[in-house]
Amino acid sequence: MSSTAAVLPCQLSAQVLGRDHLRGVAKNRLKPRQVQRHVFRCSGGLSVIRKVGDRLRQGDTTAQEILSMHLEKILVTDQAIGSFVSHQIDAALLEAKQIDKQLSAGLDPGPLAGIPFGIKDNICVSKVPSTAGSRILETHYPPFDSHVVSALKASGAIILGKTNLDEFGMGSTTENSAFRVTRNPWDRRRVPGGSSGGSAAAVAQHQCIAALGSDTGGSIRQPASFCGVVGLKPTFGLLSRHGLMSYASSFDCIGPVTSSVEDAAIVLSVMSTPAQQIDSTMQMALSSLYHEHLPDIERMRTWPLLGRRFAIVKETIGPGVDISVVDCIVTAARDIEKLGGVVDVISCPSFHLGLPAYYILAVSEASSNLARYDNIRFGAADSSRSEDFGDEVKRRILMGSYALSAGHSDSYYKRAQEVFITEQQPSFPQHDFVQCLGSQYG
């Protein structure tokens, strides 16, 4: 997929990019080049990160050219798509220049050298607005980087800006942001999913090569499915949650959004190093380089899934699921069988309990976690929670407070915990994978 470069427009408002002088920056420092915009995405293999890295190290391009290309794309498309809520243009330019200097001197800045990233706006980046999509944090500038952002920067990644989300991650459409609505790049009449819809839309629109999202109950996986990109929710505890604004602490995970499985594995490898161990959710043992275990797609054998068993839980494709989604699941199952895999349809009678148990636990933890936003420690002193929180956040706080109240905690919260513990037991010991849908709607 490729397109020709366009002249930088002067129509993007300062509110969108967060800097009054952006248009001047675009004109004076980022002069358009008549080159193929997404040439890195066209030749051999699927990993954009590897292709860009190879071209950088061979001297075929520079980090500044890559950054310019993606900033041009943002200028052209983001007013309509709404992926980003803020940008750090000056810092990104300085970082790109530094990477080019290191490469010219024969140094390797790291595996993500020159790769532009978007960061979901509930993940802290030092001295950059981090709002979680809420008015109550509109003036919040963290003095530190989250662990995963520190790991990205240490590997040479360039942070372009913060991507949009449903307020505090509470939603599945990215329409609940206090600042703007994000639209699906493939069809602007449709939603990109949520709550990491800004990150998924940014990668799908090629505004950045990779992005970070957070997943509590599908908030990376569902928008990745809606936008046609790869979203990975790591095993809980693999990545540090330090610097992630909490929604439901028992479920929250940070993960990558990329355009290929290999790129997701590369980013995961970078972020899972234990060098900066600072919380109890991160593993102490040195992780493997996940991307090194992926087979070369060009040398893949005829039946790469031979010997692998897949399970489809029949309760996930029953009544209430759009027929077009069921058709996609069946088509994918047939493709798996053509590649040598075995697909079984199995039953999990307690599966229907998962969603209500999740919601009770999530809103209960949210009501506790969001108590810190009291317009004293966070938020404007001349405002109030009822004014600064959006409707969806207030609903979930009320539901969580009710579920934790003295007369109802045993009936709701305790029972939900019991279901959660029971459902965590291995249910499919004879299968390697469970094939699930991203959403019941097509």
Side-chain angles (χ1 to χ4, degrees), residues 20 73 136 190 206 255 358 381 385 429:
D20 294 336
K73 189 70 171 180
I136 205 166
R190 300 177 184 269
H206 307 322
Y358 159 75
R385 284 161 59 90

Side-chain angles (χ1 to χ4, degrees), residues 203-428:
V203 174
Q205 189 63 67
H206 307 322
Q207 295 173 341
C208 56
I209 291 177
L212 295 189
S214 65
D215 196 305
T216 305
S219 288
I220 290 176
R221 295 161 286 173
Q222 185 244 34
S225 175
F226 279 23
C227 292
V229 294
V230 175
L232 173 63
K233 175 202 171 292
T235 302
F236 184 85
L238 176 63
L239 298 182
S240 170
R241 287 191 295 110
H242 173 262
L244 173 65
M245 299 177 192
S246 297
Y247 164 18
S249 304
S250 296
F251 301 94
D252 293 341
C253 295
I254 297 173
V257 180
T258 61
S259 57
S260 71
V261 172
E262 185 174 3
D263 282 349
I266 292 170
V267 177
L268 181 64
S269 298
V270 166
M271 295 192 299
S272 60
T273 56
Q276 301 179 46
Q277 172 67 34
I278 43 183
D279 66 13
S280 60
T281 65
M282 186 174 168
Q283 64 174 10
M284 294 297 294
L286 182 63
S287 62
S288 62
L289 297 176
Y290 300 100
H291 56 285
E292 298 297 344
H293 301 289
L294 296 175
D296 187 337
I297 193 169
E298 295 178 355
R299 301 179 182 178
M300 196 173 284
R301 58 185 181 178
T302 308
W303 295 291
L305 300 180
L306 190 65
R308 299 293 188 180
R309 297 186 69 89
F310 293 73
I312 297 177
V313 181
K314 69 177 184 180
E315 285 80 7
T316 66
I317 54 175
V321 180
D322 194 292
I323 188 64
S324 63
V325 175
V326 177
D327 288 343
C328 289
I329 293 290
V330 172
T331 300
R334 289 173 180 161
D335 291 340
I336 289 170
E337 290 177 334
K338 290 178 183 178
L339 294 173
V342 176
V343 181
D344 301 320
V345 178
I346 62 174
S347 178
C348 181
S350 62
F351 193 89
H352 69 285
L353 299 174
L355 187 61
Y358 159 75
Y359 266 108
I360 290 171
L361 294 174
V363 298
S364 298
E365 293 186 20
S367 69
S368 175
N369 280 328
L370 269 62
R372 71 193 69 176
Y373 304 110
D374 54 7
N375 294 97
I376 298 174
R377 289 168 288 187
F378 296 95
D382 59 351
S383 187
S384 67
R385 284 161 59 90
S386 61
E387 293 175 319
D388 290 341
F389 279 146
D391 290 341
E392 184 63 27
V393 172
K394 287 187 278 191
R395 275 192 290 267
R396 298 197 189 196
I397 291 174
L398 288 171
M399 288 190 291
S401 299
Y402 179 83
L404 291 174
S405 62
H408 303 285
S409 59
D410 286 350
S411 300
Y412 293 101
Y413 185 71
K414 186 175 179 181
R415 288 181 64 189
Q417 280 187 314
E418 291 171 353
V419 170
F420 179 60
I421 292 170
T422 301
E423 291 303 307
Q424 279 190 337
Q425 307 305 316
S427 302
F428 318 105

Side-chain angles (χ1 to χ4, degrees), residues 20-267:
D20 294 336
H21 63 286
L22 176 61
R23 287 190 286 264
V25 170
K27 286 182 179 179
N28 298 328
R29 304 186 192 177
L30 301 174
K31 296 180 179 178
R33 303 169 64 249
Q34 297 299 321
V35 296
Q36 281 196 314
R37 189 181 300 278
H38 295 301
V39 66
F40 305 125
R41 302 173 189 268
C42 305
S43 58
L46 297 176
S47 173
V48 181
I49 292 176
R50 283 194 188 276
K51 293 171 193 171
V52 171
D54 289 346
R55 289 178 63 87
L56 275 172
R57 290 167 179 82
Q58 292 166 6
D60 296 334
T61 188
T62 66
Q64 293 177 76
E65 289 176 349
I66 295 166
L67 177 62
S68 173
M69 180 182 74
H70 288 87
L71 289 177
E72 290 174 27
K73 189 70 171 180
I74 291 170
L75 284 165
V76 171
T77 62
D78 203 51
Q79 193 166 19
I81 300 300
S83 304
F84 285 88
V85 290
S86 65
H87 292 70
Q88 44 181 148
I89 306 300
D90 292 342
L93 287 166
L94 290 173
E95 186 62 31
K97 290 178 182 178
Q98 183 62 31
I99 288 171
D100 287 337
K101 287 181 181 178
Q102 289 179 295
L103 290 169
S104 298
L107 303 175
D108 190 347
L112 299 179
I115 303 299
F117 268 77
I119 307 295
K120 188 176 178 180
D121 203 27
N122 62 346
I123 300 172
C124 291
V125 177
S126 179
K127 301 178 182 178
V128 172
S130 299
T131 69
S134 179
R135 291 290 179 194
I136 205 166
L137 291 175
E138 192 169 7
T139 59
H140 177 53
Y141 288 73
F144 63 92
D145 285 325
S146 62
H147 171 82
V148 291
V149 170
S150 295
L152 293 182
K153 288 181 176 180
S155 297
I158 297 174
I159 308 302
L160 273 180
K162 307 301 288 294
T163 57
N164 199 22
L165 72 156
D166 291 296
E167 187 174 3
F168 286 103
M170 298 181 185
S172 56
T173 63
T174 318
E175 295 175 304
N176 293 327
S177 171
F179 304 108
R180 64 190 310 195
V181 172
T182 301
R183 305 191 183 281
N184 195 309
W186 297 100
D187 184 347
R188 294 176 186 177
R189 299 169 299 172
R190 300 177 184 269
V191 299
S195 61
S196 303
S199 292
V203 174
Q205 189 63 67
H206 307 322
Q207 295 173 341
C208 56
I209 291 177
L212 295 189
S214 65
D215 196 305
T216 305
S219 288
I220 290 176
R221 295 161 286 173
Q222 185 244 34
S225 175
F226 279 23
C227 292
V229 294
V230 175
L232 173 63
K233 175 202 171 292
T235 302
F236 184 85
L238 176 63
L239 298 182
S240 170
R241 287 191 295 110
H242 173 262
L244 173 65
M245 299 177 192
S246 297
Y247 164 18
S249 304
S250 296
F251 301 94
D252 293 341
C253 295
I254 297 173
V257 180
T258 61
S259 57
S260 71
V261 172
E262 185 174 3
D263 282 349
I266 292 170
V267 177

